[in-house]
Structure formats: structure tokens, C-alpha cells
Amino acid sequence: MAEGSGVNKPSSSSTSISRELDVMPLAVVTRIMKSVLPKDVRIRDGAKKSVQQLVTEFILYVTAHASKKCVDESRQKITGEDLIGAMKDLKFDDYIEPLTLHLKKYRESGK
């Protein structure tokens, strides 16, 4: 990333913070996993933590790609469109339409 861009560049104080703070919360990951599995299925802690790590890396990967575009265009904020564009560039085509619809509904809801 370019120096002084301000896009996803950690401050010197945040670089000393443990990597553990940079992961998707385990409670959120567990809730999502449980929502798509049958009620009687139990999820082992190791599986939860593995999915947590994978989800975190995926989010960081897509965000880094969107951030690079923002830096290249001298912008300091990543938009929903940037993230969707990154997903498209990275060939996650199956997610483009649902994400676009979700973003549109989110914006229409006024949140």
C-alpha cells in the first residue's frame, strides 16, 4: 500500500496489538454456522476456530483487494461497490448478484 494513503494502514500503536483482535468474533461465526446446520448437529470447538480463521482471512483478502483499488484511485474510503468489485475481480461471481441486492436493500432501509 502507498505510504500516507490512510487506507487500511494500521497505526504504529495498533501494530503492537495481538493478532487475536483481528479475527471475526467466534460467537458470530458460531451463530452463522448454527443457522445453516440442522438443530441436532453439534459443532466442535476446533471446527469453529478453523472456520473463524478462514472467514477472517477471506475478509482480509477481499478487503485488501478493494483497498488497493482505492489507493490506486487516490481515495481513502472503501465502499460497498469496491468490495463487490473486488469479489468480481477475484472471480467470486456467484456472490455478486446477492451482494448487490443486499447492498441495495441495506441502503433503501436507511441504515
Side-chain angles (χ1 to χ4, degrees):
M1 305 233 175
E3 274 301 311
S5 67
V7 178
N8 287 344
K9 183 177 184 264
S11 67
S12 59
S13 63
S14 68
T15 55
S16 62
I17 297 175
S18 170
R19 174 86 167 125
E20 289 179 22
L21 297 177
D22 292 336
V23 296
M24 182 83 146
L26 191 57
V28 173
V29 173
T30 302
R31 187 170 47 247
I32 293 169
M33 291 173 74
K34 286 182 177 182
S35 74
V36 297
L37 294 171
K39 298 286 183 214
D40 60 337
V41 173
R42 294 186 57 186
I43 308 167
R44 291 187 179 262
D45 288 342
K48 293 175 191 176
K49 290 178 182 177
S50 293
V51 171
Q52 177 190 38
Q53 184 179 2
L54 291 169
V55 167
T56 300
E57 290 299 321
F58 178 77
I59 291 169
L60 291 172
Y61 179 63
V62 173
T63 304
H65 192 82
S67 177
K68 183 182 181 319
K69 179 181 177 188
C70 289
V71 169
D72 292 346
E73 296 176 1
S74 300
R75 294 186 291 122
Q76 294 185 354
K77 291 188 179 181
I78 297 173
T79 66
E81 287 82 5
D82 293 323
L83 293 168
I84 292 171
M87 295 284 286
K88 186 175 183 181
D89 293 345
L90 296 167
K91 307 294 186 218
F92 290 107
D93 297 328
D94 292 344
Y95 299 97
I96 305 305
E97 184 178 348
L99 287 172
T100 302
L101 290 172
H102 180 74
L103 180 61
K104 181 181 177 188
K105 287 180 184 177
Y106 176 79
R107 287 185 173 157
E108 288 172 352
S109 72
K111 292 189 176 188

